[in-house]
């Protein structure tokens, strides 16, 4: 099956700086890559996703890049704010497949 | 529009007891999922239901059973709870397989 690795496990940044979280996947057939944000005690919530027919997608301060050849994708958060502090999970899946394979999460702390 | 709902929010069981976790969605989604979340291990798929009347095993199905009662409801049953099943359980749903998954608020289960 698919194996998704996520780094780093913890990340601290100063407010206003950028944060980057990286994930690699093993199955070259995977073509759907969502990112979820989970605040303490809350449900995971989708913040952005990308499909393998594009290399980059942006939504305001959040962007995701995908390198299919290297089988890795990254989350970029610019101008970080304290409310960005949470655990972020990457995941990978294939079109039409039910299995969504998650990374082990990155705890992001934004220091005011 | 409540999205995905789960009951109960918290539960404490003794080893060997049984219980059923309930999940319902009002988004007319075809696919539904059960995950468990353990510290440092991300979310792992227990069972899923691609459509009403079908269920399939995910990554970690041992010790669990599921029922897709109708299109809205998908329950998870622990027949004989074990301490290793102490976890946070999330239900999710998506329009179809491979589409964005939306999560419920979770059930925190402690097995003593």
């Amino acid at each position: 099956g698919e194996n998704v690795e996520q780094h780093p496990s913890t990340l601290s940044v100063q407010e206003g700086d950028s944060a980057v979280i990286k994930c690699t996947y093993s199955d070259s057939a995977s073509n759907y890559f969502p990112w979820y944000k989970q605040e303490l005690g809350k449900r995971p919530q989708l913040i952005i996703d990308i499909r393998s027919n594009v290399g980059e997608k942006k939504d305001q301060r959040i962007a995701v890049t995908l390198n299919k050849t290297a089988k890795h994708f990254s989350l970029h958060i610019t101008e970080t704010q304290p409310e960005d502090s949470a655990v972020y999970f990457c995941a990978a899946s294939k079109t039409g497949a039910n299995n969504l394979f998650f990374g082990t999460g990155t705890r992001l702390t934004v220091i005011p | 529009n409540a999205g995905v709902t789960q009951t109960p929010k918290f539960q404490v069981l003794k080893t060997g007891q049984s219980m059923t976790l309930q999940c319902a969605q009002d988004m007319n989604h075809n696919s539904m999922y059960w995950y468990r979340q353990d510290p440092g291990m991300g979310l792992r798929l227990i069972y899923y239901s691609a459509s009403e009347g079908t269920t399939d095993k995910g990554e970690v199905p041992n010790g669990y059973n599921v029922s897709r009662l109708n299109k809205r409801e998908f329950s998870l049953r622990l027949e004989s709870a074990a301490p290793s099943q102490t976890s946070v359980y999330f239900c999710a749903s998506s329009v179809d397989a491979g589409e964005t998954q939306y999560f419920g608020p979770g059930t925190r289960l402690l097995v003593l």
Side-chain angles (χ1 to χ4, degrees), chain B residues 22-59:
Chain B
Q22 306 286 353
C23 173
Q25 52 91 10
D26 62 1
M27 298 180 282
N28 201 36
H29 286 174
N30 289 311
S31 300
M32 298 185 73
Y33 314 84
W34 276 105
Y35 291 89
R36 61 177 289 171
Q37 184 175 35
D38 302 298
M41 300 188 73
L43 291 102
R44 292 180 293 167
L45 184 65
I46 304 170
Y47 269 94
Y48 64 91
S49 170
S51 61
E52 187 178 353
T54 69
T55 62
D56 279 293
K57 296 178 180 179
E59 228 181 314

Side-chain angles (χ1 to χ4, degrees), chain B residues 32-105:
Chain B
M32 298 185 73
Y33 314 84
W34 276 105
Y35 291 89
R36 61 177 289 171
Q37 184 175 35
D38 302 298
M41 300 188 73
L43 291 102
R44 292 180 293 167
L45 184 65
I46 304 170
Y47 269 94
Y48 64 91
S49 170
S51 61
E52 187 178 353
T54 69
T55 62
D56 279 293
K57 296 178 180 179
E59 228 181 314
V60 288
N62 292 346
Y64 305 95
N65 285 300
V66 290
S67 295
R68 183 75 181 266
L69 304 171
N70 47 54
K71 190 170 185 178
R72 291 187 63 251
E73 298 172 289
F74 188 38
S75 63
L76 178 72
R77 183 160 178 84
L78 287 70
E79 290 291 351
S80 179
S84 60
Q85 294 178 305
T86 293
S87 189
V88 181
Y89 291 86
F90 287 99
C91 177
S93 71
S94 63
V95 171
D96 283 302
E99 299 298 323
T100 301
Q101 294 187 19
Y102 297 90
F103 285 81

Side-chain angles (χ1 to χ4, degrees), chain A residues 32 36 38 41-44 46 49 51 89 94 96-104, chain B residues 4 31 33 35 37 40 42-43 45 48 50 90 97-101 103-105 108:
Chain A
Y32 174 60
Y36 286 85
Q38 187 177 29
K42 304 290 187 181
R43 74 188 78 190
L46 181 77
D49 58 9
R51 295 192 182 270
F89 291 95
K94 305 177 206 181
N98 281 278
N99 285 33
L100 188 58
F101 294 91
F102 283 84
T104 50
Chain B
V4 181
S31 300
Y33 314 84
Y35 291 89
Q37 184 175 35
L43 291 102
L45 184 65
Y48 64 91
F90 287 99
E99 299 298 323
T100 301
Q101 294 187 19
F103 285 81
R108 295 181 180 276

